[in-house]
Amino acid sequence: MADAFDLPLNLRPSRRPGLMRALVVALVAACAAVLLGTPVWVFMHGSAEGWVEDRPVTAVVAHDARCRVGPPPEEARTCAATWGSGEGDVSDRYGGPAPMQGERVEARAVGDGLALTGFHPVLLGWAVASPYLTLAGLVVAGGAVAGLVRHDPRWSARRTELPSGGPS
């Protein structure tokens, strides 16, 4: 171990290797939480919150209503419809029965101009928890990086501190 002190600061071994391994695992897990939570927060959280508010409507899809396949995931069917308190699109994008032209479908109004016929329980839980997942991942990542910078010279030293020059 005496030879380790002859090395440049950023090449010295860690003083606490067990802690460093745990902090790196925490950092990777935190990054995964952010990567899994952020897109869901951006794209699904609003619809999930609207679903949880439980505003049931009976959407009426006219015989001549425009229907399309999409948006993702999978082959969701979205149709123009009207319901008691408004009008807009009714969709089965997260689960539930597909709306068909000339039919009534039970749905929940999740926002202005959007009603969903169902929400898969796993997707609903993930979408509701996504802001917490993302924020917790950011906090854990910040703590892990702070711990790594504080306790491991390989994270705190600049790479420019390497000895310059070549063989003499």
Side-chain angles (χ1 to χ4, degrees), residues 131-150:
Y132 307 106
L133 181 67
T134 302
L135 294 175
L138 289 173
V139 168
V140 170
V145 167
L148 286 166
V149 168
R150 169 118 171 92

Side-chain angles (χ1 to χ4, degrees), residues 11 19 26 36 50 60 81 104 108 119 123 132 138 142 152 161 167:
L11 296 178
L19 176 63
L36 291 173
V60 179
R104 293 174 176 263
R108 290 187 192 178
F119 222 116
L123 291 177
Y132 307 106
L138 289 173
D152 193 342
E161 294 176 5

Side-chain angles (χ1 to χ4, degrees), residues 113-126:
L114 180 62
L116 298 175
T117 61
F119 222 116
H120 190 279
V122 173
L123 291 177
L124 180 62
W126 187 10

Side-chain angles (χ1 to χ4, degrees), residues 68-137:
R68 66 185 190 282
V69 174
E74 297 181 10
E75 299 294 321
R77 185 173 171 85
T78 303
C79 296
T82 59
W83 51 88
S85 61
E87 63 181 50
D89 289 337
V90 63
S91 178
D92 67 335
R93 69 178 72 164
Y94 302 127
M100 299 302 231
Q101 293 169 324
E103 292 184 3
R104 293 174 176 263
V105 63
E106 296 299 319
R108 290 187 192 178
V110 297
D112 293 335
L114 180 62
L116 298 175
T117 61
F119 222 116
H120 190 279
V122 173
L123 291 177
L124 180 62
W126 187 10
V128 170
S130 63
Y132 307 106
L133 181 67
T134 302
L135 294 175

